Amino acid sequence: MHFSIPDTQDISEESGSSYVGYNIHINGIYHCTVRYKQLHNLNEQLKKIHGANNVPEFPPKKFLPLSSSQLEERRAYLEKYIQSVGQTPHLMNTEIFNGFLFSAQQESFHDKCQQVSLDVFLMNGYKITIDANTNERTDQILEKVCCHIGLPTNYMFYFSLFLISREDDGDIIITRKLQNFESPYISKKSLQGNHRIFLRKSYWDPGYDVEIMTDKVGLNLLYTQTVSDVERGWIVCSKDTSSHLATLQATGAKKQYLDVARTLKYYGYVQFQPCTCDYPYPGAAVIVSAGYRELNLRVTLDNGEIKEGCFKVTRMRCWRITTHNERIEDGQRKEQVLELGFEYLMARDKLQWITITSNQAILISVCLQSIVDELLLKKTGMKFNQRNEDARFEGEAFNYMKRDGSSQRISLSLSQSSSSLSDGHPDSTPKSPVRNSEPTLSIRKLSDKLSAINLKQTVNRVQPLMENDAFEGIGDDDL
């Protein structure tokens, strides 16, 4: 996860007083606005459970109003703090941290819990409509979708929900994978443009296909996604192979279609929008794809020849995200330039930084991390779905401090999906999917709130290095 607090905003209370809100962005997308004391309360709960020595340093309280420079200093410290928590597995993968982010999103968007019809699409455009609550998390919506289409529970976590936008020319752009600390309904509603929620597989190793293909529904899901990838050119195939696949598709031979497609280059890869890279030469126009254990770059030379470079994730020592020129001038927001840089073992004792400039740099980084996580998972011998099941909320509860200073007991039990923001009292029985009390703050609409954000000029904002735990020494003979 890539966390940042790029800016702040002034929020007014009904009493006439005001306070500073810190805007948390996750994977490059606005997620919520919180007060300093809310993050302080989160820190205290994390220290209580994990010990003060196992939690990153938190910026201290100040008893006098902050000057502009002190406010900027606090913003930077809070950003460093939440980035550190986000890179510490035993803190990041906890009910308290995920519950905090989930509740903060609910409060920031001020959406009352209500029943809605939520559309989830397959890659062939087939629409699945489910009844949902606006305060249901991603894992709860995923479970409802899989139940609706009849996918067995043991295959559910091989798939995930994604936000995908469709361009005017019919092309699709994967915006991001939805996480369990957010409401799919709220996240989709907050984005501009033609975004839809799609169901796609969430693994990289094609070896997992074999088991999933034994189930009829699982086979259909893999088939529809693969056909979509072939039609969009994400999977490269010769003219003869393309003709053979078309014949299999026309006859409904889904398993045979997949058997052929799984042998093709870029099967199961995610392709990103055209971008530039400083490899093989500065300013090279490239097509980047992420797939099984590698990041692939294709560049078209002046003579029309296509060259490709394959960068194995096990040879990436680390990577980082850099944001350039994030500022507002004369009321107009300047374009934000994102770069993904990774340090690669080119040869024995030779490491080289390679930089990709892309507006999907954060998504590429997230894909790299998930590939690494999957590789490490296989080394431990743990099953893919076991990892996900262990990460689910297990009925824990925590105290969420609202921005008005009141405290709310939050239950994260999956069995209470209709009222996941209940008071959590052991004697209470959820009766209605409505929060116990609404904030007393005067919260503006999201569009008004975001337009009021005071962006400070920020040049070369660099996310912390993402160390690659799968990195291993490779000798010249192996290159």
Side-chain angles (χ1 to χ4, degrees):
M1 294 294 113
H2 291 264
F3 290 90
S4 65
I5 304 179
D7 40 56
T8 63
Q9 62 175 299
D10 294 326
I11 299 180
S12 299
E13 295 179 310
E14 290 183 341
S15 62
S17 60
S18 63
Y19 62 85
V20 174
Y22 295 86
N23 300 309
I24 297 179
H25 290 231
I26 303 178
N27 293 338
I29 305 293
Y30 171 81
H31 181 76
C32 64
T33 299
V34 297
R35 298 182 70 166
Y36 167 85
K37 66 180 181 181
Q38 288 179 291
L39 288 169
H40 183 273
N41 182 61
L42 169 66
N43 180 65
E44 292 300 310
Q45 293 193 62
L46 290 175
K47 288 197 301 183
K48 183 178 180 179
I49 294 176
H50 300 282
N53 294 332
N54 297 317
V55 177
E57 183 180 357
F58 192 82
K61 290 182 178 181
K62 295 184 182 295
F63 298 99
L64 297 176
L66 301 182
S67 63
S68 297
S69 60
Q70 289 175 324
L71 179 62
E72 170 60 19
E73 181 181 43
R74 172 174 282 185
R75 182 207 61 77
Y77 274 122
L78 289 175
E79 180 177 67
K80 182 179 179 181
Y81 169 80
I82 199 166
Q83 287 174 345
S84 298
V85 172
Q87 292 190 20
T88 307
H90 74 270
L91 299 177
M92 171 67 182
N93 299 321
T94 59
E95 289 84 356
I96 287 181
F97 187 61
N98 282 273
F100 173 84
L101 294 174
F102 176 71
S103 300
Q105 183 193 43
Q106 296 266 321
E107 185 178 17
S108 297
F109 287 86
H110 199 53
D111 266 17
K112 292 184 178 180
C113 180
Q114 57 182 315
Q115 285 287 125
V116 294
S117 292
L118 189 65
D119 294 331
V120 177
F121 293 83
L122 302 185
M123 294 309 299
N124 62 354
Y126 178 79
K127 182 172 68 174
I128 303 165
T129 301
I130 62 170
D131 293 328
N133 290 318
T134 57
N135 69 347
E136 286 185 303
R137 302 182 309 274
T138 298
D139 54 344
Q140 295 169 311
I141 298 299
L142 175 63
E143 190 168 12
K144 284 188 173 183
V145 171
C146 292
C147 180
H148 183 89
I149 63 178
L151 183 70
T153 304
N154 56 316
Y155 295 138
M156 182 173 69
F157 291 108
Y158 287 101
F159 297 86
S160 293
L161 300 178
F162 293 81
L163 281 171
I164 296 179
S165 65
R166 187 177 297 274
E167 301 293 283
D168 293 337
D169 59 3
D171 193 17
I172 65 169
I173 300 175
I174 298 179
T175 302
R176 62 188 176 90
K177 175 183 174 182
L178 289 166
Q179 304 293 328
N180 288 341
F181 51 69
E182 62 186 316
S183 158
Y185 172 82
I186 294 178
S187 295
K188 176 182 178 296
K189 182 181 177 182
S190 68
L191 293 177
Q192 296 180 348
N194 185 22
H195 283 85
R196 292 179 174 179
I197 301 174
F198 279 79
L199 181 68
R200 289 177 57 90
K201 67 179 185 180
S202 59
Y203 59 87
W204 302 97
D205 187 349
Y208 291 122
D209 291 348
V210 178
E211 180 182 0
I212 297 174
M213 288 166 61
T214 60
D215 177 75
K216 182 178 180 180
V217 177
L219 174 67
N220 286 334
L221 290 175
L222 294 182
Y223 173 74
T224 56
Q225 179 174 328
T226 304
V227 170
S228 172
D229 290 350
V230 170
E231 291 176 346
R232 288 181 170 82
W234 287 17
I235 298 178
V236 177
C237 55
S238 65
K239 185 176 181 180
D240 289 343
T241 303
S242 179
S243 177
H244 182 42
L245 288 175
T247 300
L248 293 173
Q249 183 179 353
T251 58
K254 298 178 181 179
K255 185 178 184 304
Q256 291 86 340
Y257 185 102
L258 283 171
D259 288 339
V260 174
R262 292 175 69 244
T263 66
L264 301 177
K265 183 66 175 176
Y266 307 119
Y267 171 79
Y269 283 48
V270 170
Q271 182 171 298
F272 307 97
Q273 292 179 283
C275 57
T276 59
C277 182
D278 61 2
Y279 184 91
Y281 53 84
V286 298
I287 298 293
V288 179
S289 300
Y292 180 53
R293 301 191 177 193
E294 71 175 27
L295 195 65
N296 182 279
L297 272 64
R298 280 173 284 169
V299 57
T300 302
L301 304 179
D302 293 337
N303 60 5
E305 183 182 2
I306 297 178
K307 292 285 188 179
E308 70 172 314
C310 298
F311 298 91
K312 301 295 183 182
V313 297
T314 51
R315 299 179 189 176
M316 297 179 185
R317 192 181 72 83
C318 58
W319 64 85
R320 67 188 176 200
I321 297 292
T322 305
T323 306
H324 296 278
N325 303 325
E326 183 183 345
R327 63 180 183 267
I328 281 185
E329 291 181 359
D330 300 327
Q332 298 295 320
R333 184 177 182 129
K334 294 295 183 180
E335 183 177 359
Q336 187 178 138
V337 179
L338 292 173
E339 291 181 348
L340 169 71
F342 60 90
E343 192 175 27
Y344 193 76
L345 186 66
M346 304 295 290
R348 187 187 299 274
D349 299 326
K350 181 184 178 182
L351 286 164
Q352 177 180 333
W353 277 97
I354 296 173
T355 301
I356 299 171
T357 303
S358 168
N359 58 3
Q360 292 180 294
I362 293 178
L363 178 60
I364 298 173
S365 173
V366 171
C367 289
L368 286 177
Q369 186 60 59
S370 64
I371 293 173
V372 169
D373 290 342
E374 189 172 304
L375 284 172
L376 296 176
L377 185 73
K378 295 191 71 174
K379 285 186 177 181
T380 64
M382 186 181 295
K383 293 182 179 180
F384 186 87
N385 58 350
Q386 181 181 348
R387 181 268 312 267
N388 288 278
E389 288 174 349
D390 291 343
R392 299 174 79 188
F393 297 122
E394 298 297 340
E396 296 291 336
F398 73 103
N399 289 317
Y400 174 71
M401 177 183 286
K402 296 181 182 181
R403 287 187 289 197
D404 61 2
S406 63
S407 181
Q408 182 177 3
R409 189 72 169 168
I410 303 297
S411 172
L412 299 172
S413 173
L414 278 175
S415 63
Q416 298 179 6
S417 60
S418 62
S419 58
S420 56
L421 291 180
S422 65
D423 63 8
H425 192 278
D427 296 328
S428 65
T429 301
K431 298 178 181 179
S432 171
V434 179
R435 289 189 288 184
N436 292 332
S437 58
E438 295 297 333
T440 59
L441 303 181
S442 176
I443 303 180
R444 290 163 286 177
K445 291 182 178 180
L446 178 64
S447 57
D448 297 334
K449 183 173 66 173
L450 294 183
S451 64
I453 293 176
N454 296 317
L455 290 179
K456 301 176 178 62
Q457 178 167 319
T458 306
V459 180
N460 298 345
R461 185 188 297 277
V462 181
Q463 289 272 347
L465 282 173
M466 301 292 293
E467 295 291 341
N468 184 3
D469 293 331
F471 177 76
E472 53 191 356
I474 304 295
D476 291 335
D477 295 338
D478 299 315
L479 297 176

